[in-house]
DNA sequence: TATTGTTATACTCTATAACTATA
DNA sequence: TATAGTTATAGAGTATAACAATA
């Protein structure tokens, strides 16, 4: 604990906190995550998709007839939380719940044509904002960062 | 959009989503952040510090007599949100609000002896959990990851 | 008995706006 | 006029528990 009682000058320059927090992965992840989440909202505008809704739509478009339970598991959220997300997408006529022959408990989720189009538009906007945010990164740095972030997930208990 | 209608097999293996989302920084950040946040809670236990309270305590311990406004700015949150955090720390007798001679609007924040001890304990626990989470990372990878995450903040608007 | 989708509920996090006391 | 701290409030986001229909 040698840095205690140091000056706050460096922190006052920018909004870069100093000291122990800088050395903690959780803290650095949180700060970076908040920046990207705000970028996301800027990219999709006032009544654009919430991040979770975008992620759900992405999977429904890419894996049509995915069920809600599968979707919840893949996204790492609760089934109950998915209801409002799918309600949202269905209210916008971007996704449709369909009965599955052979198991009447299950609802398969399929994108409408409008859903596919809306997803492509949103994805392009998000990707553009991310590219702008990473404009000071080399391609190699971008790839390394993504790879290391995925590596954290690889060990998940 | 070539991957559309592909199989969900890979996603079903683990909880690793596939497709477009994997290529988005925001998504990868969110997933990694959630893992580290859960680790943080495991590290500090049932009624341990919330992440924000821990961060505030960290700065108060390292920069005693920091004001609430400075603290809010450094942490990137609103002044109003800091009240409950400092209330929490003061209720636990870990931090004290002190009047500042010369400007009676300001409250300086100072850690108590118990606050310093509690911080050191908590920090050690968090660091241990982070080290465990990163056990499959080389030292160089850990350093690269931290550096790239900080680099995202460096361009913040 | 177990699973899918659902509802109800509550709790955390956080931003906005307005207030007060000081400057 | 502007700033520090505060209060009230509301909106996300998300987890838990319980339920009905179905397997």
């Amino acid at each position: 604990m040698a840095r205690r009682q140091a000056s706050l000058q460096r922190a006052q320059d920018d909004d870069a906190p100093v000291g122990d927090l800088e050395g903690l992965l959780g803290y650095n992840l949180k700060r970076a995550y908040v920046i990207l989440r705000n970028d996301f909202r800027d990219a999709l505008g006032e009544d654009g998709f919430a991040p979770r809704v975008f992620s759900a739509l992405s999977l429904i478009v890419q894996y049509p007839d995915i069920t809600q339970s599968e979707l919840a598991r893949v996204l790492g959220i609760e089934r109950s939380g998915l209801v409002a997300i799918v309600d949202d997408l269905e209210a916008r006529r971007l996704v449709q719940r369909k009965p599955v022959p052979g198991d009447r408990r299950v609802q398969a989720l399929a994108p409408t044509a409008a859903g596919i189009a809306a997803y492509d538009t949103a994805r392009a906007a998000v990707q553009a904002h991310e590219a702008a945010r990473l404009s000071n990164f080399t391609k190699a740095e971008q790839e390394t960062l993504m790879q290391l972030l995925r590596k954290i997930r690889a060990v998940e208990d």
Side-chain angles (χ1 to χ4, degrees), chain A residues 67-83:
Chain A
T67 68
Q68 291 192 196
S69 289
E70 282 175 327
L71 194 47
R73 185 182 42 72
V74 173
L75 289 175
I77 65 181
E78 294 296 316
R79 273 177 306 147
S80 61
L82 213 72
V83 176

PDB file of all heavy atoms in Angstrom, chain A residues 67-83:
ATOM      1  N   THR A  67     -35.871 -22.021 -29.855  1.00  0.00           N
ATOM      2  CA  THR A  67     -36.927 -21.894 -28.836  1.00  0.00           C
ATOM      3  C   THR A  67     -36.502 -20.872 -27.787  1.00  0.00           C
ATOM      4  O   THR A  67     -35.335 -20.501 -27.687  1.00  0.00           O
ATOM      5  CB  THR A  67     -37.178 -23.233 -28.131  1.00  0.00           C
ATOM      6  OG1 THR A  67     -36.041 -23.564 -27.335  1.00  0.00           O
ATOM      7  CG2 THR A  67     -37.443 -24.330 -29.137  1.00  0.00           C
ATOM      8  N   GLN A  68     -37.487 -20.446 -26.972  1.00  0.00           N
ATOM      9  CA  GLN A  68     -37.169 -19.442 -25.971  1.00  0.00           C
ATOM     10  C   GLN A  68     -36.189 -19.980 -24.932  1.00  0.00           C
ATOM     11  O   GLN A  68     -35.306 -19.260 -24.472  1.00  0.00           O
ATOM     12  CB  GLN A  68     -38.448 -18.960 -25.282  1.00  0.00           C
ATOM     13  CG  GLN A  68     -39.322 -18.151 -26.212  1.00  0.00           C
ATOM     14  CD  GLN A  68     -40.448 -17.421 -25.499  1.00  0.00           C
ATOM     15  OE1 GLN A  68     -41.388 -16.984 -26.134  1.00  0.00           O
ATOM     16  NE2 GLN A  68     -40.349 -17.277 -24.201  1.00  0.00           N
ATOM     17  N   SER A  69     -36.343 -21.231 -24.582  1.00  0.00           N
ATOM     18  CA  SER A  69     -35.435 -21.803 -23.584  1.00  0.00           C
ATOM     19  C   SER A  69     -34.006 -21.872 -24.104  1.00  0.00           C
ATOM     20  O   SER A  69     -33.056 -21.552 -23.385  1.00  0.00           O
ATOM     21  CB  SER A  69     -35.902 -23.201 -23.173  1.00  0.00           C
ATOM     22  OG  SER A  69     -37.076 -23.120 -22.405  1.00  0.00           O
ATOM     23  N   GLU A  70     -33.879 -22.275 -25.363  1.00  0.00           N
ATOM     24  CA  GLU A  70     -32.541 -22.309 -25.963  1.00  0.00           C
ATOM     25  C   GLU A  70     -31.932 -20.919 -25.973  1.00  0.00           C
ATOM     26  O   GLU A  70     -30.773 -20.713 -25.624  1.00  0.00           O
ATOM     27  CB  GLU A  70     -32.616 -22.824 -27.409  1.00  0.00           C
ATOM     28  CG  GLU A  70     -32.763 -24.323 -27.556  1.00  0.00           C
ATOM     29  CD  GLU A  70     -32.945 -24.736 -29.029  1.00  0.00           C
ATOM     30  OE1 GLU A  70     -33.556 -23.968 -29.808  1.00  0.00           O
ATOM     31  OE2 GLU A  70     -32.477 -25.819 -29.398  1.00  0.00           O
ATOM     32  N   LEU A  71     -32.745 -19.967 -26.381  1.00  0.00           N
ATOM     33  CA  LEU A  71     -32.279 -18.594 -26.497  1.00  0.00           C
ATOM     34  C   LEU A  71     -31.819 -18.062 -25.145  1.00  0.00           C
ATOM     35  O   LEU A  71     -30.758 -17.427 -25.029  1.00  0.00           O
ATOM     36  CB  LEU A  71     -33.426 -17.740 -27.052  1.00  0.00           C
ATOM     37  CG  LEU A  71     -33.115 -16.344 -27.564  1.00  0.00           C
ATOM     38  CD1 LEU A  71     -31.912 -16.344 -28.481  1.00  0.00           C
ATOM     39  CD2 LEU A  71     -34.334 -15.784 -28.286  1.00  0.00           C
ATOM     40  N   ALA A  72     -32.608 -18.336 -24.113  1.00  0.00           N
ATOM     41  CA  ALA A  72     -32.252 -17.871 -22.772  1.00  0.00           C
ATOM     42  C   ALA A  72     -30.922 -18.488 -22.342  1.00  0.00           C
ATOM     43  O   ALA A  72     -30.046 -17.802 -21.808  1.00  0.00           O
ATOM     44  CB  ALA A  72     -33.358 -18.232 -21.781  1.00  0.00           C
ATOM     45  N   ARG A  73     -30.760 -19.766 -22.612  1.00  0.00           N
ATOM     46  CA  ARG A  73     -29.531 -20.433 -22.189  1.00  0.00           C
ATOM     47  C   ARG A  73     -28.333 -19.864 -22.927  1.00  0.00           C
ATOM     48  O   ARG A  73     -27.292 -19.564 -22.331  1.00  0.00           O
ATOM     49  CB  ARG A  73     -29.649 -21.947 -22.440  1.00  0.00           C
ATOM     50  CG  ARG A  73     -28.456 -22.744 -21.929  1.00  0.00           C
ATOM     51  CD  ARG A  73     -28.590 -24.217 -22.252  1.00  0.00           C
ATOM     52  NE  ARG A  73     -29.097 -24.438 -23.604  1.00  0.00           N
ATOM     53  CZ  ARG A  73     -28.393 -24.234 -24.711  1.00  0.00           C
ATOM     54  NH1 ARG A  73     -27.136 -23.838 -24.629  1.00  0.00           N
ATOM     55  NH2 ARG A  73     -28.944 -24.447 -25.890  1.00  0.00           N
ATOM     56  N   VAL A  74     -28.465 -19.673 -24.225  1.00  0.00           N
ATOM     57  CA  VAL A  74     -27.361 -19.158 -25.011  1.00  0.00           C
ATOM     58  C   VAL A  74     -26.987 -17.738 -24.573  1.00  0.00           C
ATOM     59  O   VAL A  74     -25.816 -17.375 -24.501  1.00  0.00           O
ATOM     60  CB  VAL A  74     -27.703 -19.182 -26.516  1.00  0.00           C
ATOM     61  CG1 VAL A  74     -26.626 -18.493 -27.318  1.00  0.00           C
ATOM     62  CG2 VAL A  74     -27.892 -20.618 -26.981  1.00  0.00           C
ATOM     63  N   LEU A  75     -27.994 -16.940 -24.253  1.00  0.00           N
ATOM     64  CA  LEU A  75     -27.731 -15.559 -23.845  1.00  0.00           C
ATOM     65  C   LEU A  75     -27.337 -15.462 -22.377  1.00  0.00           C
ATOM     66  O   LEU A  75     -26.909 -14.397 -21.913  1.00  0.00           O
ATOM     67  CB  LEU A  75     -28.967 -14.684 -24.096  1.00  0.00           C
ATOM     68  CG  LEU A  75     -29.285 -14.382 -25.561  1.00  0.00           C
ATOM     69  CD1 LEU A  75     -30.596 -13.623 -25.679  1.00  0.00           C
ATOM     70  CD2 LEU A  75     -28.148 -13.576 -26.194  1.00  0.00           C
ATOM     71  N   GLY A  76     -27.488 -16.547 -21.656  1.00  0.00           N
ATOM     72  CA  GLY A  76     -27.109 -16.521 -20.247  1.00  0.00           C
ATOM     73  C   GLY A  76     -28.070 -15.749 -19.369  1.00  0.00           C
ATOM     74  O   GLY A  76     -27.669 -15.191 -18.353  1.00  0.00           O
ATOM     75  N   ILE A  77     -29.336 -15.705 -19.762  1.00  0.00           N
ATOM     76  CA  ILE A  77     -30.336 -15.050 -18.916  1.00  0.00           C
ATOM     77  C   ILE A  77     -31.452 -16.030 -18.569  1.00  0.00           C
ATOM     78  O   ILE A  77     -31.487 -17.152 -19.080  1.00  0.00           O
ATOM     79  CB  ILE A  77     -30.926 -13.795 -19.596  1.00  0.00           C
ATOM     80  CG1 ILE A  77     -31.701 -14.188 -20.851  1.00  0.00           C
ATOM     81  CG2 ILE A  77     -29.825 -12.809 -19.940  1.00  0.00           C
ATOM     82  CD1 ILE A  77     -32.283 -12.998 -21.584  1.00  0.00           C
ATOM     83  N   GLU A  78     -32.366 -15.613 -17.705  1.00  0.00           N
ATOM     84  CA  GLU A  78     -33.447 -16.484 -17.270  1.00  0.00           C
ATOM     85  C   GLU A  78     -34.543 -16.557 -18.334  1.00  0.00           C
ATOM     86  O   GLU A  78     -34.788 -15.587 -19.039  1.00  0.00           O
ATOM     87  CB  GLU A  78     -34.047 -15.972 -15.961  1.00  0.00           C
ATOM     88  CG  GLU A  78     -33.085 -16.054 -14.790  1.00  0.00           C
ATOM     89  CD  GLU A  78     -32.718 -17.497 -14.476  1.00  0.00           C
ATOM     90  OE1 GLU A  78     -33.638 -18.354 -14.455  1.00  0.00           O
ATOM     91  OE2 GLU A  78     -31.529 -17.771 -14.248  1.00  0.00           O
ATOM     92  N   ARG A  79     -35.220 -17.705 -18.377  1.00  0.00           N
ATOM     93  CA  ARG A  79     -36.342 -17.841 -19.304  1.00  0.00           C
ATOM     94  C   ARG A  79     -37.380 -16.758 -19.066  1.00  0.00           C
ATOM     95  O   ARG A  79     -37.954 -16.205 -19.993  1.00  0.00           O
ATOM     96  CB  ARG A  79     -37.012 -19.204 -19.106  1.00  0.00           C
ATOM     97  CG  ARG A  79     -36.420 -20.343 -19.884  1.00  0.00           C
ATOM     98  CD  ARG A  79     -37.147 -21.627 -19.519  1.00  0.00           C
ATOM     99  NE  ARG A  79     -37.130 -21.838 -18.068  1.00  0.00           N
ATOM    100  CZ  ARG A  79     -38.089 -22.415 -17.368  1.00  0.00           C
ATOM    101  NH1 ARG A  79     -39.167 -22.879 -17.980  1.00  0.00           N
ATOM    102  NH2 ARG A  79     -37.977 -22.566 -16.075  1.00  0.00           N
ATOM    103  N   SER A  80     -37.631 -16.468 -17.803  1.00  0.00           N
ATOM    104  CA  SER A  80     -38.669 -15.481 -17.492  1.00  0.00           C
ATOM    105  C   SER A  80     -38.319 -14.112 -18.056  1.00  0.00           C
ATOM    106  O   SER A  80     -39.208 -13.353 -18.444  1.00  0.00           O
ATOM    107  CB  SER A  80     -38.863 -15.386 -15.976  1.00  0.00           C
ATOM    108  OG  SER A  80     -37.676 -14.965 -15.344  1.00  0.00           O
ATOM    109  N   GLY A  81     -37.043 -13.815 -18.106  1.00  0.00           N
ATOM    110  CA  GLY A  81     -36.622 -12.518 -18.619  1.00  0.00           C
ATOM    111  C   GLY A  81     -36.783 -12.399 -20.123  1.00  0.00           C
ATOM    112  O   GLY A  81     -36.833 -11.301 -20.681  1.00  0.00           O
ATOM    113  N   LEU A  82     -36.870 -13.563 -20.763  1.00  0.00           N
ATOM    114  CA  LEU A  82     -36.955 -13.541 -22.214  1.00  0.00           C
ATOM    115  C   LEU A  82     -38.352 -13.184 -22.707  1.00  0.00           C
ATOM    116  O   LEU A  82     -38.520 -12.731 -23.851  1.00  0.00           O
ATOM    117  CB  LEU A  82     -36.553 -14.916 -22.772  1.00  0.00           C
ATOM    118  CG  LEU A  82     -35.846 -14.829 -24.119  1.00  0.00           C
ATOM    119  CD1 LEU A  82     -34.468 -14.264 -23.913  1.00  0.00           C
ATOM    120  CD2 LEU A  82     -35.800 -16.171 -24.787  1.00  0.00           C
ATOM    121  N   VAL A  83     -39.340 -13.371 -21.878  1.00  0.00           N
ATOM    122  CA  VAL A  83     -40.721 -13.138 -22.313  1.00  0.00           C
ATOM    123  C   VAL A  83     -40.898 -11.698 -22.783  1.00  0.00           C
ATOM    124  O   VAL A  83     -41.439 -11.444 -23.871  1.00  0.00           O
ATOM    125  CB  VAL A  83     -41.710 -13.470 -21.172  1.00  0.00           C
ATOM    126  CG1 VAL A  83     -43.130 -13.145 -21.599  1.00  0.00           C
ATOM    127  CG2 VAL A  83     -41.577 -14.940 -20.794  1.00  0.00           C
TER     128      VAL A  83
END
